[in-house]
Each structure stands twice: as structure tokens, then as C-alpha cells.
Amino acid sequence: MIQPDFSKLPQQLLTTVITDASNGQVLMVAYMNETSWQKTLASGETWFWSRSRQELWHKGATSGNTQKVVSIRVDCDADTLLISVTPAGPACHTGHYSCFYRDINGNEIEA
């Protein structure tokens, strides 16, 4: 198994792109440290590092909108992750399916 390289970046956080396994749509972008990576592998659900709260968080722990991991890819430099999931609900804390529900003008584009 390819081990992501958490040592390259100053904060030891890897950018992690989350997509819906059923349609490939980008749901969110978050950050993983080595601990959240290990928890994700062990649990089969996504865990991240919150830069604002400075703590681990299990996606959906309070909302119920968990994300079951279907597949994980690592980029060529082993410092970015792409995780396909089966979401149990909206990915965005606003209640939208995806965090990317607006265009640059602020217009909602979600179907």
C-alpha cells in the first residue's frame, strides 16, 4: 500500500478531495493528518483534521451525514488524497449536497 507523505508539508496536512462514488461529483475538500488517515482506514468512514478547531473530526458524527469510503487514490507526489464515498446525507454544513453549490457570482447551481 502506498503511504501518503505527511512529512512534506509544514502542518503535515494533506489536501483531501471527497467525491460521490455514484456520480463522481466533488462533495467537499478537507484536510487529513496521519491520525485522521489511520482512523479513516480503520473505520471505513472519513475522518479529518479541522484547521479552525484544531481537532480531529469524524464526518457526520453530530449530523449523521457520514461518508462510507469506497476507494482512495493518492497523487503522484503522495501528498494529496482523492476519496470516493457513499454519503449518508449532505456533505456541506449548510445542508447542501456538495460544498460547491454556488458559481463565482454567488448563484446557486445545485440541481
Side-chain angles (χ1 to χ4, degrees):
M1 175 173 30
I2 297 173
Q3 180 65 27
D5 189 352
F6 292 95
S7 68
K8 287 183 184 177
L9 306 170
Q11 296 178 315
Q12 299 180 333
L13 297 176
L14 301 187
T15 301
T16 305
V17 179
I18 306 298
T19 63
D20 187 324
S22 70
N23 60 22
Q25 185 166 344
V26 175
L27 299 177
M28 59 184 284
V29 175
Y31 299 89
M32 281 193 176
N33 64 9
E34 195 157 4
T35 303
S36 60
W37 166 251
Q38 293 300 329
K39 285 184 169 290
T40 296
L41 292 179
S43 69
E45 293 185 347
T46 55
W47 284 76
F48 304 105
W49 177 257
S50 171
R51 296 177 303 162
S52 59
R53 295 187 313 265
Q54 294 291 296
E55 66 182 15
L56 288 171
W57 60 284
H58 176 212
K59 177 65 177 153
T62 56
S63 67
N65 298 329
T66 56
Q67 298 173 335
K68 182 178 169 140
V69 174
V70 174
S71 68
I72 301 175
R73 295 184 184 191
V74 60
D75 78 332
C76 56
D77 294 323
D79 61 7
T80 303
L81 300 168
L82 175 62
I83 302 180
S84 293
V85 302
T86 301
C92 188
H93 72 281
T94 65
H96 288 85
Y97 164 73
S98 168
C99 292
F100 298 93
Y101 63 91
R102 299 176 291 185
D103 67 18
I104 197 164
N105 296 313
N107 301 310
E108 290 199 18
I109 55 173
E110 187 171 15

